[in-house]
Each structure stands twice: as structure tokens, then as C-alpha cells.
Amino acid sequence: MASPQELSDFLSSVEQRAFKQAVYAVRDDDAALDIVQDAMIKLAEKYGDRPAAELPLVFTRILQNRIHDWFRRQKVRNTWVSLFSSMGKKSDENDDFDPLESLSAPDDSEIHQDGAYKLERSQLLQALESEISKLPARQREAFLMRYWDELSITETALAMSCSEGSVKTHCSRATQALAKALKLKGITL
Amino acid sequence: MNRQNEDLLKPTELDQFGRATAALLRHGSQSLPAGIKDRLYAARLKALSVKKPEKVRIQQQVLAHSSGNWSVGSRSFWDNVGWIAPLVVLVFGLIGIAQWQQDSRINDIAELDVALLTDDVPPDAYADNGFIGFLKNGLLADSDKDSLDSAK
């Protein structure tokens, strides 16, 4: 059973990594912070009595679920936004409303436009993070869990609710895609 | 086959590339802005404040370990006695009261039977209306006679 100190130490050790993983997925710092906070609270509230050894896997799963929930909410919100946008256009055809203004920014433009963000990271790290953000969600999850969280294939499969074969496939494809993308930019690790 | 030909890394190099990438990411995550770190710290404190409390396990004393510490087991025993004992006293009390009432009723009936059987008048006489009238008149005549004697 994890003591308050053990739980605090665990959260302290994973919070920055969790934040970065959330940022790779949602590409928004505020949303990523909310996701990490929700995941931490749920871990403490619902699973705070679990043994300390179980916390990493449980937290990883909660974090991934929170990220998926965020995407679901975004999808619903975007549906309503686009619906009301089209209704507004029909009601007032003379209005110079530009639908492009309601669309979210493409891919990594937010990251690249943020000057402070650029200063804090090296060119290599920026390129790598950018490519990780472009990976398909499942490949990114599998890659980060396997190599950053250092979970085993079995644990990763458990956290992702898929087979171990799927984890291997996702990891392999993610790694190959990253290697190719970096090579195109003239980067080798 | 085509996919394998397109792959840049050999299967043996995948893990090595993955670990190198993870090391770079890990290093990058250490240099977060102070504002982000503060918010993460606040989030951590908030999470710890709602931590699920630890379950308190009450150990039951096992009879096999009679030489061990009885404090926990004996407290459990007295807790049970605390609510069982009044119940037992109540049940036995009710049984005793019922038994005492039954004995009392039997004694009353027995005394009545004895009185009837030992009396000079047969029991059937008490069922006869004429005898009851005779008793009433006779008793009244006796009381009148007594009052006249006392007046003299």
C-alpha cells in the first residue's frame, strides 16, 4: 500500500514526463496540464491505496484514457462549432465570416510560433518532438510507453488494451517512421 | 516484403534507436518552464490532498495462536458479548415470566378444585339456580335475624 510520501515521490517523478506526453498528443500546454492534473487526482483518489509498484502502470493507463477523453470532447465541440458556424452563414450571407478562423491551427504551427518554446529546446529535440507529435496516436502511445516509460511489452499491451503483437507492430512502425523523418532532416541518432 | 525493404532500421536496431530517442526526450523534459513546473507542483499537491485513505485492517485472533497477544481478539470478543448478553438476558427473562404465570394459574386452579372437592356441598349444587336462590334468601334471613337480635 503506497504511503502518502511514496505517492508524492511517484507523482513527482512522472509529472514532467506525463506533461510532455500529453503535449505531444494534444499540442496545447494548458490542455496538457489539465489532463495531467486530472490523471493525478484520479490516481490519488481511486487508486491511492494500491501498492507503490502498481502505480506506474495504473497512472499510464489513466493518463492515456484522459487524453482519449480530451479528443472525444474536442470532437463533440468541433461538431457543434461547425454546425453553428454553418447556421450563422446561412442566416446572414452578407457577413464576411471566414470559416478558416474557427478551425484549429494545423499540426505543429503553435509550437513553432511560440518563441519561448523554441529557446528552451535544442533543434534536435524540437525536430524529434515534432515528429513524435505527427505519429498516429496508437504508435505514439506504444513508442512512449515502451521506451520512455520503460514498460515491458506485456505491460504496454495491458495499458493499451491490445495484444502484445500489436504493441510490437506499433513500436516498430513508430521507430521506423521517426528514423525516416529525422533522416530527411539530416539527423541521425 | 516491400515494407521490410523500405525500413530504415534493422529489427536489432529498433530498440537502440528507441532508447536513444527516449534519452533525448527525457533530457528535454527536465527543462520545463518554471510556470509549468509550478502548476504541476500545485496539481500534485491537489492530488495528494484527495488521496484515498488507507484501509484499517482489524486482525482477528486465531485460536491456534493462543499464546499470542489477546488484546485485539479479546476486544472483539467483548464487543460481541456487549450486544449478545442483553439479548440472552431478555429471552431468559421472558421465558421465566411465562413459566411463573403458568405455575401460578395451575396453583389457582388446584386450590379451587380442592375447595370444591372438600366442601360439604356437592359441586353440582352450584350449577342449580334454586340452590343459589336458597343461599341468597337464607343469607338474607340470617342477616335480618342477626340485626333483630342486636336491636334487642
Side-chain angles (χ1 to χ4, degrees), chain A residues 57 60-61 64-65 68 138 141-147 149-171:
Chain A
L57 187 58
T60 302
R61 189 157 189 167
Q64 297 306 323
N65 287 339
H68 294 166
R138 298 292 278 175
E141 287 172 18
F143 179 82
L144 292 175
M145 282 187 211
R146 278 285 289 126
Y147 295 114
D149 296 346
E150 296 179 336
L151 297 182
S152 67
I153 292 176
T154 307
E155 289 171 332
T156 307
L158 198 62
M160 293 179 66
S161 302
C162 65
S163 67
E164 294 183 11
S166 298
V167 171
K168 290 178 186 173
T169 304
H170 288 317
C171 277

Side-chain angles (χ1 to χ4, degrees), chain A residues 57-74:
Chain A
L57 187 58
V58 174
F59 182 73
T60 302
R61 189 157 189 167
I62 293 172
L63 182 67
Q64 297 306 323
N65 287 339
R66 282 285 175 269
I67 291 172
H68 294 166
D69 289 345
W70 185 87
F71 278 112
R72 284 192 201 102
R73 284 198 299 271
Q74 285 296 109

Side-chain angles (χ1 to χ4, degrees), chain A residues 9-172:
Chain A
D9 292 343
F10 169 73
L11 292 177
S12 176
S13 68
V14 297
E15 62 188 15
Q16 295 185 8
R17 188 176 67 203
F19 169 73
K20 292 298 294 182
Q21 292 185 6
V23 168
Y24 295 152
V26 302
R27 298 170 193 169
D28 179 55
D29 284 2
D30 289 328
L33 280 168
D34 289 343
I35 287 169
V36 174
Q37 179 171 301
D38 285 350
M40 283 179 168
I41 288 173
K42 180 159 187 186
L43 179 79
E45 205 172 22
K46 305 286 183 186
Y47 304 98
D49 58 344
R50 292 285 186 91
E54 291 182 15
L55 296 181
L57 187 58
V58 174
F59 182 73
T60 302
R61 189 157 189 167
I62 293 172
L63 182 67
Q64 297 306 323
N65 287 339
R66 282 285 175 269
I67 291 172
H68 294 166
D69 289 345
W70 185 87
F71 278 112
R72 284 192 201 102
R73 284 198 299 271
Q74 285 296 109
K75 191 175 179 182
V76 172
R77 198 177 72 175
N78 289 340
T79 303
W80 283 103
V81 167
S82 59
L83 179 65
F84 284 120
S85 299
S86 60
M87 287 171 65
K89 190 177 181 183
K90 283 178 184 176
S91 62
D92 187 5
E93 292 183 359
N94 295 327
D95 192 4
D96 56 350
F97 174 75
D98 184 2
L100 291 176
E101 287 180 3
S102 65
L103 294 176
S104 57
D107 287 345
D108 49 359
S109 60
E110 282 182 11
I111 295 171
H112 285 225
Q113 286 170 3
D114 187 354
Y117 202 80
K118 282 184 182 177
L119 291 173
E120 290 163 5
R121 288 171 178 77
S122 67
Q123 192 174 4
L124 176 60
L125 187 59
Q126 278 187 2
L128 182 59
E129 289 182 336
S130 173
E131 293 305 325
I132 286 176
S133 293
K134 291 175 184 172
L135 287 174
R138 298 292 278 175
Q139 288 184 22
R140 183 176 56 247
E141 287 172 18
F143 179 82
L144 292 175
M145 282 187 211
R146 278 285 289 126
Y147 295 114
W148 198 354
D149 296 346
E150 296 179 336
L151 297 182
S152 67
I153 292 176
T154 307
E155 289 171 332
T156 307
L158 198 62
M160 293 179 66
S161 302
C162 65
S163 67
E164 294 183 11
S166 298
V167 171
K168 290 178 186 173
T169 304
H170 288 317
C171 277
S172 174

Side-chain angles (χ1 to χ4, degrees), chain B residues 103-125:
Chain B
D103 289 347
S104 177
R105 194 164 59 248
I106 289 170
N107 286 335
D108 289 346
I109 293 170
E111 284 177 8
L112 191 60
D113 287 345
V114 169
L116 284 171
L117 292 172
T118 57
D119 197 3
D120 294 336
V121 181
D124 292 340

